[in-house]
């Protein structure tokens, strides 16, 4: 039990990092209006109304 690596940020094993490009793309994905609409629709239990933005 004491030999397992502890979980790092975002649930990744300790020592595993993302590259800067992957981090940038991940953040850009969550900044879109369609992504925000999808999250709101899910929380409100309704179909999403995507506008491809």
């Amino acid at each position: 039990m004491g030999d397992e690596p502890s979980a790092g940020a975002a649930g990744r094993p300790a020592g595993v990092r993302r590259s800067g490009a992957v981090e940038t793309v991940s953040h850009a994905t969550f900044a879109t209006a369609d992504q925000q609409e999808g999250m709101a629709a899910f929380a409100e239990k309704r179909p999403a109304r995507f506008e491809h933005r």
Side-chain angles (χ1 to χ4, degrees):
M1 203 146 114
D3 295 340
E4 295 126 15
S6 62
R12 291 187 297 275
V16 175
R17 294 184 177 177
R18 290 178 151 179
S19 71
V22 171
E23 197 75 25
T24 300
V25 170
S26 294
H27 288 203
T29 300
F30 287 100
T32 66
D34 278 343
Q35 187 279 334
Q36 292 172 353
E37 166 59 16
M39 294 294 287
F42 179 81
E44 296 168 11
K45 299 181 181 177
R46 61 169 172 82
R49 295 180 295 268
F50 296 118
E51 297 181 9
H52 305 288
R53 303 179 285 140

